[in-house]
Amino acid sequence: MSSYPKVRGHGDGPRPDDCFRLMRSIQRGWITDARVELSWYEFGNQLHGMKAELISDSAVVIDGNNYLNIWSSKTFGNQLHLISSSQLYDLLIVGYRAIERYFEQGEAFAPERRVK
């Protein structure tokens, strides 16, 4: 098992530089094109909130469609929600673990995918 990037000792949880280091670990150690994408999502006909996803391009092509891998996802119900460093770090560490499991144990742990 690999060692996860450590959060330096400070009482307020992960800071932006911790998120940066974790993202760099994902990009340098596993998936160079990994990125965080923010989007709005709807529930019914109303704008409901924001979604953050750790994604990468997939090698999967089905019926000529290219796909994205979704390694982790987090939704925020308030339209004007501020995303904390702790929430971003959580998104990244969940994705890191999913990526690691996929590369170690194979297709049985493939990420969710959607058409690009």
Side-chain angles (χ1 to χ4, degrees):
M1 177 176 241
S2 71
S3 64
Y4 301 119
K6 303 292 186 227
V7 176
R8 287 190 296 250
H10 43 79
D12 296 331
R15 296 184 300 202
D17 62 317
D18 297 314
C19 296
F20 175 79
R21 288 184 304 114
L22 180 52
M23 187 65 182
R24 282 292 177 228
S25 294
I26 291 168
Q27 291 171 327
R28 290 182 177 154
W30 299 102
I31 301 174
T32 58
D33 72 333
R35 58 200 177 275
V36 173
E37 179 179 272
L38 298 175
S39 61
W40 298 105
Y41 68 95
E42 295 181 14
F43 185 76
N45 292 331
Q46 296 183 347
L47 191 60
H48 190 62
M50 187 185 320
K51 182 192 301 186
E53 296 176 315
L54 177 62
I55 63 171
S56 66
D57 293 325
S58 176
V60 173
V61 177
I62 300 172
D63 295 329
N65 293 316
N66 294 317
Y67 283 77
L68 292 173
N69 294 321
I70 304 169
W71 298 103
S72 59
S73 180
K74 193 170 190 69
T75 57
F76 304 93
N78 183 337
Q79 294 178 23
L80 300 175
H81 195 90
L82 298 175
I83 301 173
S84 70
S85 295
S86 292
Q87 292 167 318
L88 179 57
Y89 193 86
D90 181 60
L91 174 80
L92 294 174
I93 198 69
V94 168
Y96 184 98
R97 290 175 181 148
I99 292 165
E100 182 179 56
R101 184 173 26 176
Y102 174 69
F103 278 98
E104 289 178 353
Q105 299 180 21
E107 194 63 29
F109 295 96
E112 177 185 342
R113 294 183 174 118
R114 73 164 184 258
V115 175
K116 192 172 181 179

